[in-house]
Amino acid sequence: MQGSRRVTESILGLICSLLFALAAAAVPCQDADLIVRNGHIITMDSAHPSVSAMAIRDGRVLAVGRDQEISECESKRTSVVDLQGKTVLPGLIDVHTHGMEWAKGILRKQLDVTYPKVHSIADIVAMVRERASQTAKGKWIAGAGWDDTKFSEHRYITRADLDAVSPDNPVYLDHVSGHLAAANSAALALAGITRNTPDPAGGVIERDASGTPTGIVKDTAMELVAKLLPPDPPDINMQAAKLISERASALGLTTIHDIFISSEEIRGYQDAYQKGWLGIRVQMSPRIGSIEDAEKLAQMGIHTGFGDDHLKFGAAKMFADGGMGARTIAIYPPPVEGEPGNLGVLRWKPEDMQKAHLIAARAGWQLETHAIGDRAMDEVLDSYAATEKELNLKDPRFRIVHAGISTPAIQKRMKELHVVVDGNPPFVYWIGSWFKKYGPERVRWSYPAKSYIENGIIEAAGSDVPVTPISNWWGIWSAVVRKDLQTGQVLAPEERITVQEVFTLYTRNGAYAGFEEDKKGSLTPRKLADFIVVDRDVLNVPADELKDVQVLETWVGGQRIYEGPRASGLPQ
Ligand SMILES: [Zn+2]
């Protein structure tokens, strides 16, 4: 029995190598622009998962194979790079960033109040005191990135905390989730927020027991204050696009999707691209915050896919609910721990969401909708089902962004509707402590990567930077280990996935989510030559090393756009 299996295996092996040799020979491989050889090239293509050499011409992969085979592609003008045994992967794809927002935060020199830079409200108060001492009376002090779950005080910042050190300067500090912010009394006064101000639709002005605003504004209520912040210099978006490209390429990203961006930000990307500053590829996802936004987008006469392989329009983005950090995700009972009656917020009336989805999809837009709570996801799935049916769409690839609490019932519906999940592997590590407020049953179904694979649901991956660092190596590591930063506890261990599986999320599935599977996601002849060289054999290192991987080179369309290890092991 064993002997015959061995014979069968060796015959199969022989047939495979013959077929492979034939296939390699069949590729007309000559006059390559570039050959990389003597490497460990992980192609993410099951036809030939690991090869040592790759030939490139006109920005695309011409052939892959053994060094000797690929040397056939060489001509006098071919550049040859010796990889010296190093590991190569397809360029990583992050389908959910707020790259512009993140980069502008850096360019504005906002107070950086992210963990691990700050550990307490006291740390932040000290930073605000110092900034106030250097800032003229009445001028704004802005900052971003605080996370109450990582404070020693374990509570939100209040206006009283900030008033004590900044009575004369309005202060506005964004929470890391992007779904709430803390303002001081001077800022609330400028915004006209008093105890009599009603909560805006889809937002909350947090109040104490006596009804006085605490300084915390959530979701749409943030805009009441944020709109008063001083205007940016005119070229900030173009500079931000340049910064994103530089930082992302140093971390191995060759494609990002920038989500919920404004018309100024779209212009910034376009200007940076025209100046030759955009090394990485970008899919821009415009925002739909109202039915009027959907109508305006439809009237422009462009849709998903417009642009070129470098800069194009991706999906149109909407929000169905809030965030876990703000405790505004829309859930079914029971409510969030310690807040009886809090089942979160839905940003749209169901019929309005459906109307906006229909307008955008009819105009040719792929849809992606932020939904974290199960109640929000059901609303989105209802709307997607109705839209698909109404327009008789064959392969719309509608996406659910985050899909935080993805119960078996929700997954069944996702599978039926062929919905793509824009998941967030790094969340388990960086913000896993937020999940726990929603109880153990919901922790079990939080970001369930293994279940998606088993249930045939395509999941692509995103950092959601600035919610977690722009380095996707944190996400790659987190998907394999699923440890929570605060306790080290493994959250829903049954949802851990293998390194090979996590790379699929960051390559092939990222390409699929963006309708680019014929161009990206694997190192396959005719696809774009987007690849990275890393400092270790990523398929065979101890899991804990995955977060420490250094990118040595990043190539986009056969051009090296980054070379040299990044400076430090700190969160990036
Ligand atoms: Zn986001």
Side-chain angles (χ1 to χ4, degrees):
M1 191 64 186
Q2 250 192 5
S4 73
R5 189 195 290 165
R6 214 171 285 145
V7 170
T8 316
E9 275 173 5
S10 62
I11 292 173
L12 275 176
L14 192 67
I15 295 173
C16 283
S17 37
L18 273 172
L19 282 175
F20 182 61
L22 280 172
V27 179
C29 191
Q30 47 189 310
D31 196 26
D33 296 329
L34 170 73
I35 288 175
V36 292
R37 58 178 295 283
N38 186 28
H40 168 217
I41 303 176
I42 301 163
T43 63
M44 297 306 290
D45 180 343
S46 57
H48 33 76
S50 174
V51 296
S52 63
M54 175 165 65
I56 289 149
R57 193 171 63 206
D58 300 329
R60 288 174 186 265
V61 177
L62 190 58
V64 295
R66 290 190 288 270
D67 285 2
Q68 204 188 337
E69 291 161 346
I70 297 305
S71 64
E72 310 270 309
C73 318
E74 194 175 335
S75 73
K76 274 189 201 134
R77 62 173 203 94
T78 306
S79 319
V80 179
V81 172
D82 184 345
L83 292 166
Q84 298 175 321
K86 292 204 179 68
T87 298
V88 167
L89 279 167
L92 304 178
I93 299 171
D94 185 329
V95 298
H96 190 95
T97 77
H98 301 282
M100 272 284 177
E101 185 191 327
W102 168 77
K104 284 192 281 186
I106 296 171
L107 294 171
R108 285 176 189 135
K109 299 191 171 55
Q110 287 182 345
L111 290 177
D112 177 6
V113 290
T114 51
Y115 177 91
K117 205 164 188 172
V118 300
H119 288 85
S120 63
I121 293 176
D123 290 347
I124 293 175
V125 166
M127 286 168 82
V128 172
R129 175 189 287 122
E130 198 196 332
R131 184 61 70 93
S133 73
Q134 304 155 357
T135 307
K137 225 174 175 176
K139 294 261 186 260
W140 282 83
I141 295 171
W146 61 275
D147 180 353
D148 51 297
T149 63
K150 298 187 181 69
F151 289 161
S152 50
E153 297 91 346
H154 291 289
R155 61 168 176 86
Y156 288 158
I157 303 169
T158 65
R159 66 163 162 180
D161 295 323
L162 302 170
D163 289 350
V165 290
S166 181
D168 303 319
N169 295 90
V171 181
Y172 183 77
L173 303 176
D174 265 309
H175 188 262
V176 66
S177 65
H179 288 273
L180 74 141
N184 69 347
S185 296
L188 293 179
L190 286 171
I193 295 176
T194 67
R195 54 188 298 127
N196 301 320
T197 310
D199 287 345
V204 176
I205 298 166
E206 194 191 64
R207 296 154 212 267
D208 64 17
S210 75
T212 309
T214 62
I216 293 292
V217 281
K218 296 184 177 181
D219 292 293
T220 57
M222 296 162 70
E223 198 47 33
L224 300 174
V225 190
K227 68 177 183 205
L228 303 171
L229 290 166
D232 289 317
D235 68 340
I236 192 165
N237 292 299
M238 188 169 75
Q239 298 292 347
K242 181 168 181 266
L243 186 64
I244 297 155
S245 181
E246 288 165 2
R247 301 280 182 99
S249 59
L251 295 160
L253 288 163
T254 53
T255 295
I256 64 162
H257 296 202
D258 198 335
I259 308 295
F260 206 65
I261 60 179
S262 66
S263 43
E264 294 76 32
E265 291 168 336
I266 291 169
R267 197 174 301 127
Y269 271 121
Q270 202 177 333
D271 292 344
Y273 180 32
Q274 284 174 352
K275 283 202 175 303
W277 292 353
L278 202 59
I280 60 165
R281 304 181 195 275
V282 178
Q283 283 207 5
M284 303 178 290
S285 290
R287 55 177 71 178
I288 296 180
S290 62
I291 292 173
E292 296 74 62
D293 284 353
E295 280 164 348
K296 270 189 228 156
L297 205 53
Q299 280 159 10
M300 288 183 50
I302 54 171
H303 57 68
T304 299
F306 179 73
D308 61 20
D309 287 337
H310 221 87
L311 182 63
K312 65 166 73 161
F313 281 103
K317 165 79 187 289
M318 289 168 49
F319 276 91
D321 63 350
M324 276 192 182
R327 290 163 219 156
T328 49
I329 65 168
I331 48 174
Y332 293 116
V336 58
E337 195 179 280
E339 296 185 28
N342 182 0
L343 297 177
V345 286
L346 285 171
R347 291 209 184 183
W348 296 75
K349 283 192 214 125
E351 60 274 23
D352 288 350
M353 173 185 282
Q354 210 170 305
K355 210 169 173 184
H357 276 158
L358 194 60
I359 293 166
R362 182 177 281 132
W365 287 92
Q366 182 190 20
L367 305 176
E368 59 177 0
T369 311
H370 163 119
I372 300 183
D374 43 6
R375 190 160 62 98
M377 277 192 267
D378 262 336
E379 187 192 22
V380 174
L381 289 163
D382 288 346
S383 181
Y384 281 177
T387 307
E388 276 191 51
K389 194 163 167 228
E390 170 85 21
L391 301 175
N392 193 22
L393 299 170
K394 295 292 172 251
D395 181 19
R397 290 187 209 182
F398 291 159
R399 290 150 66 176
I400 293 194
V401 176
H402 308 305
I405 298 167
S406 207
T407 59
I410 295 277
Q411 289 188 46
K412 190 162 173 276
R413 295 194 69 195
M414 285 176 170
K415 167 76 180 162
E416 281 162 10
L417 288 166
H418 306 286
V419 161
V420 175
V421 171
D422 290 359
N424 307 100
F427 278 18
V428 176
Y429 175 65
W430 287 102
I431 57 176
S433 52
W434 301 356
F435 305 177
K436 294 185 201 161
K437 295 251 177 237
Y438 288 90
E441 180 62 14
R442 295 195 184 106
V443 170
R444 167 63 190 89
W445 296 111
S446 290
Y447 299 90
K450 191 74 175 183
S451 296
Y452 289 145
I453 295 170
E454 283 166 357
N455 294 329
I457 296 164
I458 307 251
E459 179 190 8
S463 62
D464 204 8
V465 62
V467 176
T468 74
I470 188 170
S471 170
N472 279 280
W473 299 98
W474 289 102
I476 290 163
W477 166 72
S478 178
V480 175
V481 302
R482 286 186 71 95
K483 271 185 205 157
D484 158 32
L485 177 152
Q486 277 201 316
T487 60
Q489 192 188 343
V490 177
L491 302 182
E494 51 277 77
E495 298 298 343
R496 286 177 292 198
I497 59 175
T498 67
V499 190
Q500 180 78 36
E501 286 167 340
V502 73
F503 282 127
T504 304
L505 266 55
Y506 280 96
T507 57
R508 299 184 72 99
N509 293 2
Y512 180 85
F515 285 102
E516 296 181 314
E517 69 274 21
D518 56 336
K519 292 179 179 162
K520 295 177 189 173
S522 66
L523 298 171
T524 300
R526 287 180 292 280
K527 288 196 187 183
L528 296 165
D530 295 357
F531 61 95
I532 58 176
V533 185
V534 293
D535 70 340
R536 60 199 90 188
D537 178 5
V538 286
L539 292 185
N540 293 299
V541 293
D544 266 337
E545 278 192 27
L546 289 166
K547 63 184 188 314
D548 307 321
V549 169
Q550 303 277 311
V551 174
L552 305 175
E553 293 175 29
T554 300
W555 295 71
V556 171
Q559 303 290 322
R560 184 161 41 203
I561 62 163
Y562 170 76
E563 190 175 8
R566 60 188 154 106
S568 78
L570 284 171
Q572 299 195 38

